[in-house]
């Protein structure tokens, strides 16, 4: 496969994956960003900042902020201010929010687990390949080679 074909295939597969997650979100009558915010907060051991949510899942600040604002008003997300850096605010799910998040993402995580189990050892190669691609791509974008 030629270099351009490989790149097109990688981009296509990444976009198809995002499309599948967005399609799943539609089945739960929620937006992709709302679902990914819930997913992230449910699957981390510590509270996250909005910036961490944006960076980890590649979502825009505006989209995440809109989602977080709505979830705060609905009592789904709690906000805690950092004791040392008052500008830093950490997000976590309330008890109500955890229940809501589970109702949205539990089936998705079950599907992910099933697929991951089928793929087995190839998961490691997929992760390593995409990590390397993204690190090198980011370096080239930043002209830091």
């Amino acid at each position: 496969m030629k270099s351009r074909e490989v790149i097109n295939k990688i981009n296509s597969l990444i976009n198809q994956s995002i499309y599948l997650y967005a399609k799943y979100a539609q089945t739960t009558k929620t937006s992709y960003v709302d679902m990914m915010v819930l997913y992230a907060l449910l699957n981390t051991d510590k509270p996250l900042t909005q910036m961490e949510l944006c960076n980890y899942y590649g979502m825009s600040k505006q989209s995440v902020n809109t989602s977080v604002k709505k979830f705060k008003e609905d009592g789904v997300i709690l906000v805690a201010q950092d004791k040392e850096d008052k500008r830093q605010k950490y997000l976590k799910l309330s008890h109500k929010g955890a229940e809501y998040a589970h109702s949205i993402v539990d089936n998705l995580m079950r599907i992910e687990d099933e697929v991951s189990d089928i793929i087995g050892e190839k998961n490691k190669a997929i992760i390593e390949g995409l990590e390397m691609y993204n690190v090198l791509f980011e370096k080239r974008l930043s002209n830091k080679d």
Side-chain angles (χ1 to χ4, degrees):
M1 206 180 271
K2 293 179 184 173
S3 178
R4 180 59 27 210
E5 290 172 344
V6 169
I7 292 164
N8 286 340
K9 188 65 175 175
I10 289 170
N11 287 329
S12 175
L13 290 170
I14 289 169
N15 287 317
Q16 285 175 33
S17 182
I18 292 168
Y19 168 78
L20 291 170
Y21 278 80
K23 187 175 175 181
Y24 176 84
Q26 286 178 335
T27 70
T28 65
K29 297 186 177 29
T30 189
S31 75
Y32 171 76
V33 173
D34 285 355
M35 183 186 75
M36 294 312 293
V37 167
L38 295 171
Y39 182 97
L41 293 173
L42 190 63
N43 283 291
T44 56
D45 297 333
K46 64 180 183 72
L48 300 171
T49 65
Q50 284 192 40
M51 210 54 206
E52 289 171 324
L53 284 169
C54 293
N55 293 338
Y56 195 72
Y57 290 101
M59 297 183 292
S60 74
K61 289 185 223 176
Q62 183 178 357
S63 296
V64 170
N65 187 52
T66 300
S67 180
V68 167
K69 191 183 280 188
K70 177 182 72 172
F71 283 147
K72 282 188 337 191
E73 290 171 5
D74 293 344
V76 171
I77 288 179
L78 303 173
V79 179
Q81 196 170 40
D82 188 295
K83 291 178 175 83
E84 295 171 17
D85 182 356
K86 303 292 184 197
R87 296 170 297 165
Q88 199 70 270
K89 293 183 175 96
Y90 290 96
L91 310 171
K92 70 177 192 173
L93 294 170
S94 65
H95 178 71
K96 171 186 171 183
E99 288 178 358
Y100 178 65
H102 279 291
S103 75
I104 299 293
V105 301
D106 276 0
N107 190 48
L108 173 65
M109 292 187 300
R110 181 189 57 75
I111 293 167
E112 289 174 328
D113 290 342
E114 289 173 1
V115 171
S116 181
D117 288 346
I118 292 167
I119 294 170
E121 289 297 313
K122 291 182 181 177
N123 283 311
K124 184 177 178 183
I126 293 167
I127 292 166
E128 289 173 353
L130 282 172
E131 282 177 342
M132 184 184 303
Y133 183 88
N134 287 342
V135 166
L136 294 171
F137 194 84
E138 185 174 28
K139 281 183 181 178
R140 298 307 189 279
L141 282 175
S142 304
N143 294 321
K144 296 179 185 173
D145 191 21

